[in-house]
Amino acid sequence: MNLRSLLRTSTMLLAAATMACEKDDPVSIAPEQRFNITPLFTGIDLGGSEQITATIGTNPVPVTWESSDPAVASVDANGLVTSLSVGFTAVTATQVADPSQKISSNVTVQPVLPSTQLQNNVPVVVSSSGAFLSLSPLYRISVPAGKTKLTVTTTGPTNLDLDLLVRRGAAPTTNNSTFAVTADCYSGGASTNESCVINNPAKGTYYIALWLFDPYSGVTLLAKYE
């Protein structure tokens, strides 16, 4: 075989191999024909739940659901995942029409710090007679995916002083010697009227603490996402 024939044969083999790879490559599947699961990765607070969906393109597809570790999280026939213990599980959707087609969502169940759960845009009245520079017990709000803003405010008597701290996934901390704080948002005016705004907040649990400079009562705490 001469060099030209050898090159021609090699080129044909390479093209054939490339076509074979493309045939099996999920990227080559048209978007409207692609088997999807949403969300692909998610974290759920212990005791919480989340809806998972399976589609072909954007259209719902009949599937059966299974959790690889039902002790961590269960999943019902409609894809609603309920967390049961801290850990990891894969939630798999299997197409009814073609059981060879499977896709999984990776679910991590996260521990929740001792705290009071707040509901979106529902105010609560808080008070504290704690020591100077102490932190209040924690509050928390669970922010779903896709929100554009999280706003946390306190309103109350202007002659008293507290500071507001908000932190995702962990408790805010303070240093009473240096007055340094660890938080995603800190509002430290000289009254009880404080505000924290987090734009495009990531999905997750946001912990809220109040830093006490004066004993306070009749203060309204409000957390709102939109």
Side-chain angles (χ1 to χ4, degrees):
M1 180 180 296
N2 61 35
L3 179 59
R4 181 174 297 179
S5 299
L6 180 60
L7 289 173
R8 184 181 295 117
T9 302
S10 298
T11 302
M12 292 174 62
L13 289 173
L14 179 60
T18 302
M19 292 175 63
C21 290
E22 289 179 350
K23 182 178 180 181
D24 297 328
D25 186 354
V27 176
S28 68
I29 300 173
E32 63 273 14
Q33 298 175 341
R34 197 169 297 157
F35 188 22
N36 303 307
I37 195 166
T38 305
L40 187 58
F41 298 91
T42 189
I44 306 175
D45 288 341
L46 182 60
S49 61
E50 183 163 348
Q51 181 66 51
I52 296 180
T53 59
T55 59
I56 292 180
T58 58
N59 299 314
V61 58
V63 295
T64 58
W65 294 95
E66 183 180 13
S67 171
S68 66
D69 193 342
V72 171
S74 62
V75 59
D76 69 11
N78 298 311
L80 181 65
V81 177
T82 301
S83 60
L84 300 172
S85 64
V86 174
F88 169 82
T89 186
V91 173
T92 300
T94 302
Q95 288 188 29
V96 172
D98 183 0
S100 69
Q101 298 298 309
K102 301 174 182 287
I103 191 168
S104 297
S105 173
N106 299 284
V107 177
T108 301
V109 178
Q110 307 158 149
V112 177
L113 298 176
S115 52
T116 299
Q117 176 77 54
L118 301 177
Q119 302 302 317
N120 184 42
N121 204 25
V122 177
V124 297
V125 178
V126 299
S127 62
S128 176
S129 56
F132 176 62
L133 296 182
S134 62
L135 286 175
S136 70
L138 287 175
Y139 302 88
R140 73 180 187 275
I141 185 165
S142 299
V143 178
K147 299 305 175 181
T148 59
K149 183 186 293 186
L150 170 64
T151 304
V152 182
T153 59
T154 57
T155 54
T158 58
N159 62 323
L160 302 177
D161 188 11
L162 61 80
D163 290 355
L164 171 65
L165 301 93
V166 182
R167 188 180 183 188
R168 178 178 177 269
T173 63
T174 58
N175 185 312
N176 292 340
S177 299
T178 64
F179 290 90
V181 302
T182 303
D184 295 328
C185 182
Y186 170 59
S187 178
S191 73
T192 59
N193 297 319
E194 306 291 353
S195 177
C196 269
V197 177
I198 299 175
N199 291 313
N200 300 311
K203 172 184 178 293
T205 298
Y206 289 76
Y207 291 96
I208 301 162
L210 306 178
W211 199 4
L212 180 69
F213 288 80
D214 291 307
Y216 59 86
S217 61
V219 171
T220 298
L221 172 63
L222 177 66
K224 177 177 69 173
Y225 53 76
E226 53 190 302

